[in-house]
Amino acid sequence: MVTTVGFERGIMARPMFFTKFLHPANFDWSKSVGGEIPSSKVGRKKITTEISHYDQGISRIRIKDGGAWDPDRNLIALTPPKKGKGCVRVEEGCISIQNELGEVVLKSPEEGFFGAAEEAHLFQFAVPESAMYYGMGGKWFKRFELSGIRTKNYNTDVWSDFHFAQWNEHEVDPSYFASPYVAVRTDKGYVGLLLHNPGVTTIQTPGHDRARVFVNWQRTWPHLLIGAENGSPDLWVISAPSLAELTRRLQKLVGVTPRPPLWSLGFHQSRWGYGGENDLLKLSRRFEKESLPCSALWLDLDYMDGYRIFTVAENQFPNGVQTVTDRLALEGRRMVPIIDPGVKKEVGYAVFDDGMEKGAFCKNNLGKPYVGLVWPGETVFPDLISEKGRNWFAGYAKGFRDLGFTAAWVDMNDPSTGPVDPTGMLFQDGAEPHDRHRNQYALGMQMATIEGFLKSEPKERPFLLSRSGFVGSSRYSAIWHGDNVSNEAHLQLSIPIAIGMSISGLPFNGPDIGGFGGGATNELMARWVQANFLFPFFRNHSTDSSPMEEPWRYSGTAKRSIYHFIRLRYQLLPYLYQLFIRQENSGDPVVRPVLYEFEEASAYFTSDAFMVGHALLQAPILSESESKRDVVLPGSESWWDWQRGKWIAPGLRTVRANLTHTPIFQRANSIVPMLLEPPTKPDVDMRSVAFLAAIPDTGGSMQADYIADDGLSFDYRSGQESALSLQIDADEQNVSIKVAQTKNGYGPLAAEVWCTRPGIFTVNGQIAESEAIQIRLAGGKVTVYRVKL
């Protein structure tokens, strides 16, 4: 007789094929829904369909089977608006998704709307031939529009789970971040489909490019498919008239990013190899000497005692962590250490012993702690899916914060288990299989770490960076794009990943500037800094085998360019900070696809240019050997060129940018707040600000609201912030400026306006003097006209 241990629990490990997908022919399909809360069958499976409706064109479709589908295994609940009309309708047994005018945008096909095959399930929608697809989170597809895609959501450790020959320059899927969301563009509006399921999910979009199909099985399914190999069929459907409104509704549903600490938006310097006090203080002194602002210095694995998490090697911090924290604070810098989830399996190591005693670790099929092989050797893993495991981890995170570490970088939380098959890692005291929860393991780590930090210091906004994540990670953590490589392929990939994540509910994101692996040349690093210097997260990071890549390691024109754009990042912190405030208040992302602002054909496929907020369009040079490129300036109005201070008509343009320049254009009749000077130190005073107003020769109207607070505490929530309202109206000669401070909770604000053209100026009805000054933005010096308020 053969005995299979653990089989009775139904949690045997399944093989994971990253490039094999669910096929509709292997499913039983329901051809009829039949009502608002119907009971019916899909094949032999009895199901119940529940449809809930909310304001803002949001509906939820939940299908239950009285078994494995029914428990809601998500760690967090989504936050829909109040009950309302929604967007899903059931008529004569068919499902349709309607826009605000009552027009059908998508509908169930004749073959059926919902399919089941044991625990696996699929939703399908008939889509028009002209439909386009966006989102899907942090996918490495090298393009913004995603028709003809089969994809799986299963968080991976890319460098461990794929061969170097692939991730060095080619597409890798799945990657670090799972986001089972797709936005569909049609001629009647947009539809967003979010499958809130932390299991192994899949999306398949119909394809339009028949030239790529060499054999029949390369064709994707003619209908849009979204489903899962396991877990609950829990589909949220959002209808909206534009991509911008769709994204706002999605972001409010999954959770906005809380206003971050201001220092987290500065330049960050990291390297695998920085160990502790000596390295950090030496780096800090060098940044001071170079007159180069840097807000945070990062520590990879080397600060720990033998890679044991929640420990500090005595030789790395001989004077204690708090001493170093205090020294760095004097120069305006933070220290950010790495924390991995893997706990060294070692009797006598207090963290391991305590976790064993508390039953905090994931189990295997034998009922023993699951063991992987990562940095410390044999490791066990806290069960961050269970409340008990998260509470245990949060306690250690609190102690870590108490020690003096004021931020954290939570890594390897895919979770990475080295060469050991992760599917043997079970959750909820061994009762739940790995693949039902894998994608939200990082979310559990984020939740526990933030809880611990807030218990330690409840008055300070925490900052967390994570490699992996899931729906709702936006509430807790920034996400970086994962381990990348110093080459043009990964530089070019940074833009579609960033804008894809931004419209998928994770706006606080960015790559490793210059590439983690390999070594960036002078030209490549300069172009990379230019391309990403206005991304939400801005960190230089490299592996210990790479050449040293601090900014002063570069020379000549490249070095001057790198220094300038780091300083320009700081000068533009007022603008970036306003965008994060808008993210918290309205759900708008910081970096956006051009399509977000301009609904026109030229923007449907744009993957190499992007908007920073409403006002700026950046089209960076993405090759170290090129100095020009084509860009379509959208809309019907001219754009103000930040390189040369001239107006450029909309349309297809060839723009040039040598190594000290990057193409950035400001929208007509827009206002960008910025500091009066490019800072040389990381601490900035947000209460003194200049408003760069792009005023066309023909005139126009523009408005801006500006908010300043202490950039660190939660006091702004109780009114301790200052606000200023600015209105500018211009004709061909006159420029009327109206300004008022509307809040004074953080003290008085000092402001001036920099206009892109001269004129006869008035401020609140009084004649005002102007002065021509020169400033350097994205290239050479340009002339603006300063009016003090």
Side-chain angles (χ1 to χ4, degrees):
M1 186 175 82
V2 177
T3 301
T4 305
V5 180
F7 181 76
E8 67 277 5
R9 290 195 266 181
I11 51 178
M12 291 295 292
R14 307 180 191 179
M16 174 53 61
F17 298 102
F18 294 150
T19 57
K20 306 297 180 185
F21 304 93
L22 303 174
H23 185 57
N26 295 316
F27 285 68
D28 289 318
W29 287 90
S30 172
K31 295 181 180 295
S32 174
V33 177
E36 285 293 302
I37 309 179
S39 296
S40 58
K41 284 188 175 183
V42 181
R44 293 174 294 178
K45 184 184 283 287
K46 294 182 179 180
I47 65 169
T48 300
T49 303
E50 298 179 357
I51 304 178
S52 305
H53 302 292
Y54 303 92
D55 274 351
Q56 299 176 27
I58 298 176
S59 293
R60 182 187 189 186
I61 304 171
R62 297 191 70 190
I63 297 180
K64 301 183 177 183
D65 68 346
W69 286 352
D70 287 5
D72 184 353
R73 297 181 174 90
N74 287 290
L75 293 181
I76 63 170
L78 303 188
T79 52
K82 65 181 181 180
K83 293 285 187 177
K85 291 172 53 180
C87 63
V88 170
R89 301 290 180 265
V90 180
E91 298 176 359
E92 298 182 357
C94 296
I95 288 275
S96 67
I97 302 171
Q98 298 184 2
N99 63 21
E100 294 173 353
L101 301 177
E103 299 172 317
V104 174
V105 183
L106 301 181
K107 62 181 180 179
S108 56
E110 293 181 2
E111 297 91 331
F113 163 67
F114 179 77
E118 297 182 339
E119 195 174 344
H121 52 271
L122 288 171
F123 296 91
Q124 70 172 343
F125 295 90
V127 290
E129 180 69 21
S130 60
M132 298 176 188
Y133 308 92
Y134 305 99
M136 300 190 195
K139 292 296 184 182
W140 288 23
F141 288 142
K142 297 186 178 179
R143 55 192 173 106
F144 172 50
E145 198 280 327
L146 300 172
S147 59
I149 290 290
R150 294 186 182 101
T151 186
K152 184 169 291 190
N153 292 302
Y154 182 93
N155 289 347
T156 63
D157 177 357
V158 170
W159 280 27
S160 176
D161 296 339
F162 296 90
H163 192 275
F164 167 82
Q166 185 169 1
W167 51 254
N168 181 42
E169 292 193 4
H170 301 288
E171 295 180 354
V172 170
D173 187 55
S175 56
Y176 298 100
F177 188 90
S179 186
Y181 170 77
V182 60
V184 187
R185 183 199 175 278
T186 77
D187 294 337
K188 295 180 180 179
Y190 284 81
V191 170
L193 301 172
L194 172 65
L195 187 61
H196 196 210
N197 179 344
V200 184
T201 54
T202 185
I203 299 172
Q204 190 170 159
T205 58
H208 304 304
D209 184 3
R210 303 306 182 197
R212 295 187 297 108
V213 177
F214 299 102
V215 293
N216 190 58
W217 53 260
Q218 289 179 314
R219 296 179 186 274
T220 52
W221 196 245
H223 304 311
L224 172 62
L225 298 174
I226 183 168
E229 297 180 9
N230 48 43
S232 299
D234 186 0
L235 185 68
W236 290 82
V237 185
I238 311 170
S239 177
S242 66
L243 180 60
E245 185 57 35
L246 181 72
T247 304
R248 294 182 194 114
R249 294 174 183 182
L250 170 74
Q251 193 69 66
K252 288 293 188 75
L253 180 66
V254 302
V256 297
T257 296
R259 193 178 301 190
L262 182 60
W263 68 264
S264 70
L265 306 186
F267 174 68
H268 298 206
Q269 181 63 48
S270 180
R271 180 179 175 82
W272 179 7
Y274 298 159
E277 178 175 338
N278 288 338
D279 289 335
L280 297 180
L281 297 182
K282 181 179 178 181
L283 279 167
S284 189
R285 288 192 298 269
R286 185 60 186 267
F287 275 106
E288 191 78 9
K289 178 182 177 182
E290 297 290 328
S291 298
L292 191 63
C294 174
S295 296
L297 303 174
W298 292 57
L299 293 173
D300 212 309
L301 301 161
D302 300 279
Y303 79 94
M304 302 180 201
D305 179 12
Y307 303 138
R308 297 172 181 86
I309 67 168
F310 298 124
T311 68
V312 176
E314 186 175 349
N315 66 314
Q316 296 287 10
F317 286 90
N319 298 302
V321 172
Q322 190 64 55
T323 299
V324 179
T325 296
D326 293 343
R327 289 275 300 276
L328 292 175
L330 294 175
E331 296 174 350
R333 286 183 247 286
R334 293 293 179 117
M335 169 173 48
V336 186
I338 198 170
I339 306 174
D340 290 347
V343 176
K344 184 176 177 62
K345 183 175 177 283
E346 178 183 58
V347 175
Y349 165 34
V351 178
F352 172 76
D353 292 343
D354 184 53
M356 289 294 293
E357 180 182 344
K358 302 288 177 54
F361 299 131
C362 296
K363 293 184 177 179
N364 59 23
N365 269 327
L366 302 176
K368 300 177 181 179
Y370 167 86
V371 178
L373 286 170
V374 285
W375 300 113
E378 289 193 341
T379 49
V380 295
F381 297 82
D383 185 353
L384 297 169
I385 303 304
S386 73
E387 185 176 4
K388 177 174 65 175
R390 290 196 304 278
N391 289 340
W392 176 84
F393 196 88
Y396 279 94
K398 178 184 182 300
F400 201 64
R401 179 66 175 82
D402 291 342
L403 198 61
F405 290 117
T406 58
W409 164 21
V410 290
D411 193 9
M412 303 286 283
N413 50 10
D414 322 292
S416 178
T417 55
V420 182
D421 186 348
T423 58
M425 179 194 293
L426 310 179
F427 301 112
Q428 299 284 18
D429 201 30
E432 290 276 338
H434 185 80
D435 52 0
R436 278 186 182 161
H437 293 281
R438 177 181 178 88
N439 289 337
Q440 64 178 350
Y441 187 83
L443 175 60
M445 190 178 187
Q446 295 155 15
M447 295 168 66
T449 307
I450 290 294
E451 179 185 343
F453 273 41
L454 288 175
K455 284 182 177 179
S456 173
E457 183 45 80
K459 295 181 179 180
E460 183 174 315
R461 303 175 217 170
F463 173 72
L464 204 63
L465 180 78
S466 180
R467 183 166 81 178
S468 288
F470 185 59
V471 176
S473 286
S474 50
R475 307 179 188 187
Y476 304 99
S477 180
I479 304 289
W480 103 98
H481 298 171
D483 296 336
N484 58 357
V485 185
S486 298
N487 59 34
E488 289 182 358
H490 279 267
L491 168 58
Q492 294 160 8
L493 187 61
S494 67
I495 295 175
I497 291 179
I499 59 179
M501 294 182 78
S502 289
I503 62 169
S504 301
L506 208 292
F508 200 170
N509 72 81
D512 285 338
I513 302 296
F516 175 63
T521 64
N522 271 323
E523 292 77 13
L524 182 63
M525 181 61 80
R527 290 306 192 192
W528 210 313
V529 169
Q530 292 169 3
N532 294 170
F533 86 102
L534 291 179
F535 274 23
F537 179 63
F538 186 45
R539 178 184 74 160
N540 174 288
H541 180 52
S542 58
T543 184
D544 61 346
S545 59
S546 297
M548 304 296 283
E549 292 190 344
E550 297 89 357
W552 50 84
R553 305 287 180 176
Y554 295 90
S555 60
T557 303
K559 179 180 178 180
R560 292 195 299 273
S561 177
I562 292 165
Y563 278 43
H564 169 68
F565 284 101
I566 290 174
R567 291 175 182 139
L568 185 58
R569 162 78 174 209
Y570 279 84
Q571 192 171 10
L572 288 167
L573 280 182
Y575 182 55
L576 293 175
Y577 197 57
Q578 303 312 301
L579 295 178
F580 271 97
I581 291 173
R582 281 195 59 84
Q583 159 59 208
E584 182 179 46
N585 292 338
S586 67
D588 283 307
V590 177
V591 165
R592 312 166 185 183
V594 178
L595 184 61
Y596 196 94
E597 297 288 338
F598 295 92
E599 182 65 42
E600 56 186 58
S602 65
Y604 294 160
F605 302 95
T606 300
S607 300
D608 60 354
F610 55 92
M611 300 292 298
V612 183
H614 169 80
L616 299 180
L617 185 152
Q618 186 171 1
I621 305 293
L622 299 174
S623 169
E624 54 188 315
S625 60
E626 298 290 335
S627 60
K628 66 177 181 178
R629 59 159 293 169
D630 289 339
V631 58
V632 174
L633 297 178
S636 58
E637 296 184 287
S638 295
W639 292 76
W640 196 68
D641 182 0
W642 271 30
Q643 292 189 83
R644 296 171 180 86
K646 297 180 179 180
W647 287 95
I648 301 179
L652 178 62
R653 298 288 176 261
T654 298
V655 294
R656 297 182 180 275
N658 61 33
L659 202 57
T660 58
H661 293 51
T662 190
I664 298 179
F665 307 91
Q666 185 170 343
R667 199 169 183 168
N669 298 308
S670 68
I671 298 172
V672 174
M674 57 200 307
L675 299 178
L676 304 181
E677 300 285 344
T680 58
K681 297 180 181 293
D683 285 337
V684 298
D685 187 353
M686 301 280 282
R687 288 171 293 192
S688 295
V689 63
F691 294 97
L692 178 60
I695 306 175
D697 292 339
T698 54
S701 295
M702 62 210 77
Q703 191 272 338
D705 293 309
Y706 180 76
I707 293 174
D709 58 37
D710 64 19
L712 187 61
S713 75
F714 293 105
D715 290 347
Y716 72 92
R717 294 179 177 175
S718 57
Q720 295 187 40
E721 64 179 14
S722 293
L724 182 148
S725 178
L726 181 70
Q727 175 72 40
I728 301 176
D729 296 290
D731 57 27
E732 294 180 355
Q733 290 184 331
N734 302 292
V735 179
S736 169
I737 301 171
K738 295 178 181 179
V739 61
Q741 184 159 343
T742 56
K743 293 182 181 179
N744 198 38
Y746 188 54
L749 303 179
E752 52 191 60
V753 175
W754 295 349
C755 298
T756 58
R757 45 151 274 197
I760 301 171
F761 295 95
T762 60
V763 176
N764 292 338
Q766 301 295 315
I767 295 291
E769 294 184 357
S770 65
E771 175 190 9
I773 63 172
Q774 287 195 315
I775 60 174
R776 186 181 172 204
L777 296 171
K781 290 184 177 181
V782 299
T783 299
V784 296
Y785 299 85
R786 177 168 62 188
V787 180
K788 293 185 177 181
L789 304 182

